[in-house]
């Protein structure tokens, strides 16, 4: 996610803004920029890469002025480059933006038709052109911003300057976070409190549909329709580090609870509702090229490999294309049977996992076409791919992958729609249905998160266990594997996941009165069979905890605990079961006093073999 910092006061704006941007580095970024206003002249400096590059630029070409805006960019539309870095300037207007403008392509075409020339590939540049155009029409900075915002669909947090109204800074917010810090007649604007908390603890939280006009030592708040509103400030006592966690006790819980938003991020700007299709910027393959592949090969490690397994079930069933799933560390040494007719899809949150990168290079050596699914923009795997589908989950700091996993599942769901629409196995109507189900997913995730108290109760009950088994059928089988991995890696309880139908082929020997058996039983085509597997465990004295779907009064009747998961359709319910199992592992680990963010022996990105 991008980071924004703005300042108006009596200090040199540049160090205030640069220090603020440094405190937002945890959000992840790939380029940065700053603009200060002095005597009616807006000076802009932008650089790709880390903030040190911007600092060097400013040292060579110093800035001046007591009003300014700054930005760290996490690329969504347009590669990481100086040209695409913010601030963006059009005419007299300078803008920094965090969010995604979903209708930017249409707005850009209209602006080009009206004579506007664009420099960048970003959605954000459209905003500066729109405001500049409205300003030339109205002569009012505030009015111009209000008129422009009315045309935007999507999420934004904005800081805006105007050379022709040099003593004014305007901020506006809808869908992306923004706070205002106040210290006397000085104002600090930021995406997040860590950026400004060292300057002041008096904060005003801006809400969606609000804007703030900072002018000559005063701030006035409005709705974006122009109605003046009163906003109360609050004193915050968070330490900067605690502020980075937004009040959560650790990054893992914060990231688990970010999933409704991260799923919105991976969807934003990609749904073509009318067509029942999706737009995957970065896929770089048309229908004919997509249909030319004889098979797909998903290759990954760990949790990302579990996502790949879900992808196999999903794509083979919906698109009738053969999908191989490979563990990268095996694939890279197996002289795999792939060719130029294979679409190889490395899946990696970090984009730096050594085995997955080596697998990509093995595939490259066999002339395969490579489209990766990554979270970190411009990571090694992303850079070496022919195309990239970014998951836009935002920086994931907790070592145990949570929001990255669920956004990988959603990215695979989007890819399945694209593949199925390209080869005709998914009709326009079916695609529209899949898009409607997907659009409802964030709300279902939010509801699933509310099950935490019941999940904590389950963890309490089985806290002394040394072993656990997770069972699932169909698309729930890889979710069972993922649940077992989450438990292992943060609570250190040994756990295994199995296809529920496999129990009688050996693992059922493990059943006893001690070991909890977590059975995933969504209300899908496998439910009757899973109930039978549950009976196999119970009749042998096993302890079953049933995760089933809301409205299912039958499945859990003989289980020791039953958790009712919201229903999001046969495919997307897997995301909700994954979220519930993340919370289960989290509660086990916290109750056992483990460090959930930095589990022993583990690294966030395994960049060595
Ligand atoms: C997930 O909880 C683990 N931390 C680990 O399995 C991880 O998924 C694996 O190392 C792959 O990482 P990547 O997605 O960054 O490639």
């Amino acid at each position: 996610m991008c980071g924004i910092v703005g300042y108006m006061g009596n200090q040199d704006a540049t160090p205030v803004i640069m220090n603020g941007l440094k405190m937002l580095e945890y959000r992840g970024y790939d380029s940065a920029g700053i603009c200060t206003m002095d005597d009616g002249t807006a000076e802009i400096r932008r650089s790709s890469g880390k903030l040190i590059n911007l600092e060097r630029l400013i040292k060579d070409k110093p800035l001046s002025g007591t009003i300014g805006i700054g930005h760290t960019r996490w690329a969504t539309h347009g590669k990481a480059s100086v040209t695409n870095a913010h601030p963006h300037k059009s005419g007299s207007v300078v803008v920094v933006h965090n969010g995604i403008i979903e209708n930017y392509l249409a707005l850009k075409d209209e602006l080009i038709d009206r004579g506007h020339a664009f420099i960048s590939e970003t959605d954000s540049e459209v905003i500066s052109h729109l405001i500049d155009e409205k300003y030339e029409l109205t002569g009012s900075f505030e009015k111009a911003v209000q008129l422009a915002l009315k045309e935007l669909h999507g999420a934004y947090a904005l800081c805006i300057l105007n050379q022709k109204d040099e003593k004014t800074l305007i901020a506006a917010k809808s869908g992306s976070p923004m706070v205002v810090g106040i210290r006397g007649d000085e104002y600090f604007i930021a995406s997040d409190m860590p950026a400004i908390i060292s300057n002041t603890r008096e904060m005003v939280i801006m809400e969606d549909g609000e804007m703030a006009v900072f002018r000559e030592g005063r701030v006035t708040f409005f709705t974006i329709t122009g109605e003046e509103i009163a906003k109360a400030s609050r004193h915050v006592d968070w330490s900067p580090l605690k502020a980075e966690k937004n009040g959560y006790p650790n990054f893992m819980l914060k990231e688990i609870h970010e999933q409704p938003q991260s799923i919105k991020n991976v969807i934003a700007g990609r749904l073509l509702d009318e067509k029942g299709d999706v737009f995957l910027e970065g896929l770089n393959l048309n229908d004919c090229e997509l249909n030319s592949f004889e098979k797909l090969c998903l290759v990954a490690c760990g949790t990302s490999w579990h996502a790949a397994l879900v992808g196999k079930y999903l794509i083979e069933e919906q698109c009738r294309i053969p999908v191989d799933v490979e563990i990268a560390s095996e694939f890279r040494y197996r002289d795999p049977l792939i060719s130029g007719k294979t679409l190889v899809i490395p899946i990696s949150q970090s984009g730096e996992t050594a085995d997955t990168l080596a697998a990509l290079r093995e595939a490259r050596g066999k002339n395969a076409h490579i489209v990766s699914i990554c979270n970190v923009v411009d990571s090694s795997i992303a850079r070496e791919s022919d195309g990239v589908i970014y998951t836009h989950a935002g920086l994931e700091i907790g070592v145990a992958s949570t929001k990255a996993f669920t956004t990988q599942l959603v990215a695979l769901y989007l890819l399945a729609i694209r593949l199925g629409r390209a080869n005709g196995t998914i009709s326009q109507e079916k695609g529209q249905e899949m898009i409607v189900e997907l659009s409802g997913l964030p709300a279902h995730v939010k509801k699933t998160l509310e099950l935490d108290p019941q999940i904590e109760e389950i963890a309490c009950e089985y806290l002394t266990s040394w072993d656990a088994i997770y069972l699932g059928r169909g698309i729930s089988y890889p979710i069972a594997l993922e649940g077992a991995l989450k438990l292992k890696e943060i609570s250190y309880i040994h756990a295994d996941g199995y296809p529920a139908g496999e129990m009688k082929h050996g693992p059922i020997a493990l059943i006893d009165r001690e070991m909890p058996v977590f059975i995933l039983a969504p209300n899908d085509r496998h439910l009757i069979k899973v109930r039978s597997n549950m009976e196999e465990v119970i009749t042998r004295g096993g302890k079953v905890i049933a995760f089933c779907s809301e409205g299912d009064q039958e499945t859990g009747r003989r289980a020791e605990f039953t958790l009712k998961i919201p229903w999001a359709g046969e495919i997307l319910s897997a995301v909700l079961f994954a979220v519930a199992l993340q919370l289960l592992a989290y509660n086990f680990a916290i109750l056992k006093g483990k460090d959930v963010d930095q589990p022993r022996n583990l690294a966030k990105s395994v960049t060595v073999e």
Side-chain angles (χ1 to χ4, degrees):
M1 293 169 285
C2 304
I4 285 176
V5 179
Y7 174 72
M8 174 185 276
N10 45 40
Q11 293 182 63
D12 180 3
T14 302
V16 174
I17 292 167
M18 292 302 288
N19 290 334
L21 292 178
K22 283 181 192 142
M23 288 305 291
L24 294 179
E25 286 194 289
Y26 73 88
R27 297 162 69 91
Y29 67 103
D30 46 63
S31 53
I34 182 172
C35 172
T36 59
M37 188 77 77
D38 193 8
D39 195 21
T41 301
E43 283 290 336
I44 295 175
R45 304 285 183 270
R46 299 185 299 176
S47 71
S48 62
K50 296 305 177 191
L51 281 173
I52 186 71
N53 299 335
L54 184 59
E55 286 175 331
R56 287 192 188 113
L57 203 52
I58 293 166
K59 191 163 187 250
D60 292 346
K61 297 180 181 176
L63 293 166
S64 59
T66 61
I67 176 174
I69 57 180
H71 187 267
T72 49
R73 179 173 183 253
W74 194 76
T76 54
H77 294 74
K79 60 183 177 300
S81 66
V82 176
T83 308
N84 290 332
H86 302 206
H88 289 294
K89 186 169 183 287
S90 171
S92 67
V93 173
V94 185
V95 169
V96 292
H97 167 230
N98 175 27
I100 292 177
I101 303 305
E102 297 180 2
N103 63 329
Y104 84 97
L105 288 171
L107 290 173
K108 187 168 182 175
D109 289 345
E110 291 164 15
L111 285 159
I112 289 169
D113 289 345
R114 297 199 294 266
H116 288 255
F118 283 80
I119 299 166
S120 81
E121 306 161 285
T122 68
D123 54 337
S124 307
E125 188 186 353
V126 165
I127 303 170
S128 58
H129 285 267
L130 266 182
I131 296 172
D132 181 52
E133 182 180 73
K134 309 301 183 189
Y135 180 73
E136 292 308 315
L137 288 172
T138 63
S140 159
F141 190 10
E142 288 92 317
K143 191 72 182 160
V145 171
Q146 287 158 12
L147 290 172
L149 295 183
K150 279 181 183 167
E151 297 192 32
L152 302 184
H153 300 161
Y156 57 79
L158 297 167
C159 278
I160 313 150
L161 295 176
N162 183 349
Q163 283 187 152
K164 294 180 179 174
D165 191 339
E166 59 174 286
K167 295 192 183 307
T168 303
L169 188 161
I170 293 181
K173 182 243 191 275
S174 181
S176 295
M178 180 169 274
V179 295
V180 174
I182 301 172
R183 186 175 66 190
D185 59 359
E186 289 183 287
Y187 298 96
F188 306 83
I189 306 102
S191 305
D192 212 349
M193 289 183 188
I196 54 179
I197 201 164
S198 59
N199 299 296
T200 179
R201 291 182 179 279
E202 188 185 354
M203 301 281 184
V204 175
I205 310 296
M206 288 185 66
E207 303 297 338
D208 286 354
E210 294 181 350
M211 62 187 275
V213 178
F214 304 85
R215 184 177 280 134
E216 294 172 349
R218 294 185 61 247
V219 59
T220 313
F221 293 96
F222 297 89
T223 63
I224 55 174
T225 52
E227 179 197 347
E228 187 171 338
I229 51 177
K231 293 278 295 174
S233 66
R234 68 179 77 173
H235 182 83
V236 295
D237 60 2
W238 286 343
S239 67
L241 184 60
K242 198 172 174 186
E244 281 181 40
K245 297 172 184 167
N246 279 350
Y248 285 98
N250 50 61
F251 283 109
M252 183 176 179
L253 191 61
K254 171 175 177 271
E255 288 153 10
I256 287 174
H257 283 267
E258 279 178 342
Q259 290 178 110
Q261 185 56 51
S262 55
I263 288 171
K264 286 177 185 170
N265 293 348
V266 68
I267 293 173
R270 290 171 160 172
L271 303 184
L272 304 173
D273 304 76
E274 289 304 309
K275 291 183 179 176
D277 203 338
V278 297
F279 167 67
L280 291 174
E281 80 289 341
L283 178 61
N284 301 336
L285 288 167
N286 61 35
D287 286 11
C288 179
E289 290 160 333
L290 279 173
N291 293 334
S292 69
F293 297 115
E294 289 168 353
K295 69 173 182 178
L296 271 55
C297 175
L298 309 184
V299 59
C301 300
T303 285
S304 299
W305 178 69
H306 296 151
L309 284 172
V310 173
K312 175 183 176 66
Y313 280 95
L314 168 55
I315 293 169
E316 285 194 344
E317 180 180 294
Q318 299 295 328
C319 312
R320 311 312 294 160
I321 304 170
V323 179
D324 292 346
V325 176
E326 298 278 359
I327 288 180
S329 55
E330 292 297 310
F331 178 84
R332 64 184 290 192
Y333 296 114
R334 223 171 34 76
D335 191 13
L337 294 173
I338 58 174
S339 71
K341 289 285 185 188
T342 310
L343 175 57
V344 171
I345 303 180
I347 301 176
S348 176
Q349 185 289 128
S350 62
E352 300 300 343
T353 299
D355 285 323
T356 310
L357 183 56
L360 180 156
R361 290 169 178 165
E362 174 71 14
R364 175 70 72 207
K366 293 177 179 287
N367 302 314
H369 191 86
I370 298 162
V371 173
S372 56
I373 295 176
C374 285
N375 189 41
V376 176
V377 174
D378 259 10
S379 52
S380 301
I381 289 171
R383 284 200 312 274
E384 295 191 26
S385 299
D386 300 304
V388 190
I389 300 171
Y390 283 118
T391 51
H392 301 315
L395 194 63
E396 186 176 72
I397 296 173
V399 165
S401 191
T402 51
K403 62 177 182 174
F405 175 65
T406 49
T407 52
Q408 286 169 348
L409 299 187
V410 173
L412 286 160
Y413 188 88
L414 292 169
L415 178 61
I417 293 173
R418 183 76 284 279
L419 290 167
R421 297 289 288 120
N423 72 6
T425 50
I426 294 178
S427 67
Q428 180 179 0
E429 187 183 7
K430 171 69 175 169
Q432 289 170 340
E433 288 167 11
M434 292 177 78
I435 285 171
V436 167
E437 278 197 340
L438 182 56
S439 304
L441 185 59
H444 290 310
V445 171
K446 191 169 186 304
K447 201 174 169 195
T448 304
L449 292 168
E450 293 164 5
L451 296 172
D452 188 49
Q454 297 173 56
I455 294 172
E456 183 182 9
E457 195 183 333
I458 294 170
C460 276
E461 177 68 20
Y462 301 104
L463 194 57
T464 56
S465 308
W466 286 101
D467 286 294
I469 280 188
Y470 291 69
L471 301 179
R473 278 180 180 263
I475 207 167
S476 294
Y477 162 47
I479 302 303
L481 293 176
E482 173 59 12
L485 176 61
K486 284 282 132 347
L487 187 68
K488 272 185 277 206
E489 65 178 326
I490 61 173
S491 74
Y492 316 147
I493 296 170
H494 177 256
D496 270 326
Y498 291 103
E502 268 298 284
M503 281 302 284
K504 52 186 163 306
H505 300 290
I508 204 161
L510 292 171
I511 299 303
D512 60 19
R513 284 298 305 163
E514 302 309 314
M515 178 178 62
V517 180
F518 301 106
I519 298 186
L520 310 185
N523 189 13
D524 62 15
R525 73 194 77 165
H526 303 293
L527 182 55
I528 303 302
K529 293 292 183 192
V530 172
R531 284 178 182 164
S532 305
N533 300 136
M534 194 180 291
E535 280 308 311
E536 288 166 10
V537 173
I538 292 170
T539 51
R540 289 165 177 78
K543 306 163 84 164
V544 167
I545 299 90
F547 288 65
C548 48
S549 299
E550 274 177 351
D552 178 350
Q553 305 303 331
E554 175 62 29
T555 302
R557 276 183 335 114
R558 301 226 306 134
E560 299 211 332
F561 278 86
T562 302
L563 201 72
K564 300 288 181 70
I565 308 289
W567 179 248
E570 186 155 308
I571 299 171
L572 294 174
S573 291
V575 174
L576 308 182
F577 278 71
V579 170
L581 295 181
Q582 291 166 3
L583 287 172
L584 181 66
Y586 175 83
N587 278 292
F588 265 108
I590 291 295
L591 290 166
K592 291 173 77 78
K594 304 303 181 189
D595 177 350
V596 291
D597 281 344
Q598 297 288 345
R600 69 186 181 197
N601 310 334
L602 290 178
K604 181 60 187 170
S605 175
V606 183
T607 54
V608 294
E609 270 202 80

